[in-house]
């Protein structure tokens, strides 16, 4: 399929993009926190982070403190990391192993399944009125070892939220052997949506990513919009390799770059079994935290794997510079919105979903 053909794209076409005030107005971000981030599945971790009963990690989702743990019964659960006694943030550390969770304020303790264990300041008759106090649970979904939570109690299950995405992902047979090996974060001076826009098209690849277009066959680059997600990808040029990755390896596959509504990107590069996730988490309306998480077979990366990370990070650095320049222009009075090319249907899908979520 030719580079600029798009399958399954929505029939509706917009000449103009989302208006730029959507990238610069703090009130828009407030709405997005309520209507987008608090109602969608958010990646929080990987099962390799909670291998044993008692293992836990803490995260923030849409400004809410969340704790994920593995119970004595081996079940992985998610709770608001908030004490039911007087709202104190319960677990302060990022990760660890605890048989019991204890609040540091008045010493209430909770079992790993969220049930109250002891409330030392409620004895005798008082004890009866807190016996049903337990941690408030959060919707959790685990697919392909990735742990997601959704703050919306009525959300569709994770397995039904992204069409056949997880089925596609499961075709990469090496995925089950991977663990979360490292994570990097980077503050980006741009609205979170600008980075997603950038990821969702490759018209800029020829201009901005010389290493990328040298390694991948851009004549066969495809962008396909699907149910709440999209895919882009191509194959490696037969005579090329990037870094020292040996492209004769049996497990070589084409580059596959997925986007999942609203702010998750999953990339699988050719070469040794690998996956990376990118999350764009708003810090404020014009600043975002990019969270890059890598998954390989082992923490001790081989030279090939190190080369792959260096290659991916070079491409990301090139993208970050572009979206930071774009944010400067979003603030300008020069234009109110942009235009889509015919190969930018995945951005159009994303923008339509944003407008629908915001009821605009
Ligand atoms: S606030 Fe947690 S025990 Fe009082
Ligand atoms: Fe890019």
């Amino acid at each position: 399929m030719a580079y600029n053909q798009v399958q399954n794209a929505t029939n509706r076409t917009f000449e103009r993009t989302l208006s730029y005030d959507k990238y610069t107005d703090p009130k828009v971000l407030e709405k997005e926190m309520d209507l987008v981030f608090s109602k969608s599945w958010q990646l929080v971790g990987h099962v390799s982070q909670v291998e044993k009963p008692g293992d836990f990690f803490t995260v923030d989702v849409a400004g809410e403190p969340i704790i994920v743990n593995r119970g004595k019964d081996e079940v992985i659960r998610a709770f608001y990391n908030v004490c039911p006694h007087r709202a104190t943030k319960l677990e302060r550390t990022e990760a660890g192993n605890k048989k019991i969770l204890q609040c540091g304020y008045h010493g209430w303790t909770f079992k790993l399944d969220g049930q109250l264990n002891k409330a030392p300041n409620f004895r005798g008759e008082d004890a009866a009125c807190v016996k049903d106090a337990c941690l408030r649970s959060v919707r959790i979904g685990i697919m392909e070892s990735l742990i997601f939570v959704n703050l919306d109690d009525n959300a569709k299950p994770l397995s039904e939220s992204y069409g056949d995405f997880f089925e596609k992902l499961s075709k990469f047979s090496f995925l089950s052997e991977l663990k979360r090996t490292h994570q990097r974060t980077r503050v980006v001076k741009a609205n979170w949506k600008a980075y997603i826009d950038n990821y969702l098209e490759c018209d800029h690849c020829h201009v901005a990513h010389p290493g990328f277009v040298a390694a991948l066959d851009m004549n066969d680059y495809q962008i396909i919009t699907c149910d709440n997600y999209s895919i882009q990808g191509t194959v490696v040029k037969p005579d090329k390799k990037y870094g020292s990755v040996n492209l004769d390896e049996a497990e070589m596959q084409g580059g596959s770059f997925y986007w999942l509504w609203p702010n998750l990107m999953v990339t699988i590069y050719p070469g040794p079994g690998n996956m990376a996730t990118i999350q764009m988490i708003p810090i404020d309306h014009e600043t975002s935290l990019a969270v890059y998480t890598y998954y390989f077979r082992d923490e001790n990366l081989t030279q090939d794997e190190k080369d792959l990370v260096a290659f991916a990070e070079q491409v990301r650095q090139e993208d970050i510079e572009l979206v930071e320049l774009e944010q400067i222009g979003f603030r300008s009075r020069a234009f109110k919105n942009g235009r889509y090319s015919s190969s930018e249907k995945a951005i159009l899908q994303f923008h339509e979903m944003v407008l629908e979520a915001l009821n605009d």
Side-chain angles (χ1 to χ4, degrees):
M1 194 167 97
Y3 164 54
N4 61 358
Q5 274 182 285
V6 177
Q7 285 181 345
N8 303 335
T10 168
N11 291 326
R12 204 166 139 206
T13 50
F14 285 161
E15 196 187 51
R16 305 285 174 162
T17 64
L18 274 187
S19 56
Y20 294 155
D21 61 336
K22 296 276 191 291
Y23 299 79
T24 58
D25 182 349
K27 290 204 178 63
V28 171
L29 181 62
E30 268 175 44
K31 265 180 100 175
E32 287 170 344
M33 279 301 181
D34 275 354
L35 300 172
V36 174
F37 290 94
S38 303
K39 288 187 180 296
S40 54
W41 287 99
Q42 293 288 313
L43 177 66
V44 290
H46 187 263
V47 292
S48 59
Q49 293 170 265
V50 281
E51 274 177 339
K52 296 186 295 298
D55 283 352
F56 72 86
F57 60 85
T58 57
V59 282
D60 264 38
V61 173
E64 290 282 352
I66 304 291
I67 181 165
V68 175
N69 71 4
R70 185 185 287 267
K72 274 190 187 159
D73 53 3
E74 298 286 343
V75 175
I76 299 174
R77 298 180 175 86
F79 305 99
Y80 288 89
N81 187 16
V82 174
C83 180
H85 178 224
R86 258 202 324 272
T88 307
K89 181 173 173 180
L90 189 65
E91 181 53 54
R92 306 174 205 196
T93 57
E94 280 184 13
N97 182 288
K98 288 193 175 166
K99 301 283 170 262
I100 207 105
L101 300 167
Q102 180 167 38
C103 177
Y105 201 163
H106 309 92
W108 284 27
T109 53
F110 302 88
K111 296 176 187 162
L112 298 180
D113 64 1
Q115 296 302 308
L116 179 67
N117 183 54
K118 283 201 177 98
N121 56 338
F122 285 66
R123 290 188 208 96
E125 283 178 14
D126 280 358
C129 71
V130 294
K131 69 176 187 318
D132 60 343
C134 55
L135 300 184
R136 185 168 164 198
S137 64
V138 178
R139 294 283 305 282
I140 189 167
I142 303 173
M143 295 292 287
E144 293 302 319
S145 303
L146 297 169
I147 306 173
F148 292 73
V149 301
N150 195 320
L151 301 182
D152 179 1
D153 291 335
N154 300 314
K156 259 207 252 178
L158 174 65
S159 58
E160 294 168 23
S161 294
Y162 295 101
D164 59 352
F165 166 73
F166 290 108
E167 207 177 298
K168 283 207 171 79
L169 203 58
S170 69
K171 303 231 158 78
F172 294 100
S173 53
F174 55 79
L175 278 190
S176 59
E177 295 165 34
L178 304 186
K179 52 184 171 185
R180 181 184 183 274
T181 55
H182 56 293
Q183 187 170 72
R184 284 194 193 142
T185 56
R186 162 91 202 247
V187 175
V188 180
K189 289 190 218 135
N191 181 275
W192 69 278
K193 297 189 292 298
Y195 192 101
I196 309 290
D197 292 351
N198 167 278
Y199 180 89
L200 288 177
E201 52 91 358
C202 207
D203 285 7
H204 71 277
C205 295
H206 286 276
V207 184
H209 301 312
F212 185 86
V213 297
L216 298 172
D217 184 354
M218 301 310 289
N219 290 322
D220 197 32
Y221 200 88
Q222 302 179 39
I223 301 177
I224 303 170
T225 56
C226 307
D227 186 10
N228 288 341
Y229 79 100
S230 57
I231 318 168
Q232 300 169 60
T234 185
V235 291
V236 177
K237 288 178 180 168
D239 56 335
K240 292 278 178 184
K241 56 185 190 176
Y242 52 76
S244 62
V245 172
N246 175 9
L247 296 178
D248 296 329
E249 286 200 41
E251 64 184 1
M252 186 197 84
Q253 72 281 332
S256 296
F257 311 113
Y258 301 91
W259 163 78
L260 275 71
W261 166 258
N263 62 332
L264 174 63
M265 292 146 277
V266 178
T267 66
I268 295 173
Y269 276 97
N274 72 87
M275 180 171 75
T277 54
I278 311 168
Q279 292 162 277
M280 287 308 289
I281 299 177
I283 295 174
D284 66 28
H285 55 294
E286 294 196 292
T287 323
S288 311
L289 188 69
V291 181
Y292 302 103
T293 312
Y294 293 91
Y295 309 80
F296 287 105
R297 287 195 172 98
D298 194 275
E299 285 91 5
N300 300 311
L301 301 192
T302 62
Q303 191 54 47
D304 283 354
E305 290 167 342
K306 284 183 189 159
D307 288 345
L308 175 55
V309 170
F311 175 85
E313 289 188 349
Q314 170 66 29
V315 174
R316 286 174 198 155
Q317 181 54 35
E318 290 160 358
D319 282 328
I320 286 171
E321 284 169 23
L322 293 172
V323 297
E324 290 186 341
L325 290 170
E326 200 180 16
Q327 189 70 31
I328 294 170
F330 287 151
R331 288 195 292 265
S332 163
R333 69 180 73 184
F335 302 103
K336 295 222 173 318
N337 44 22
R339 297 154 197 250
Y340 303 109
S341 80
S342 61
S343 54
E344 294 180 311
K345 290 292 192 289
I347 303 190
L348 176 61
Q349 176 193 27
F350 171 50
H351 289 183
E352 286 189 323
M353 291 180 75
V354 169
L355 290 174
E356 194 182 325
L358 298 180
N359 261 326
D360 273 8

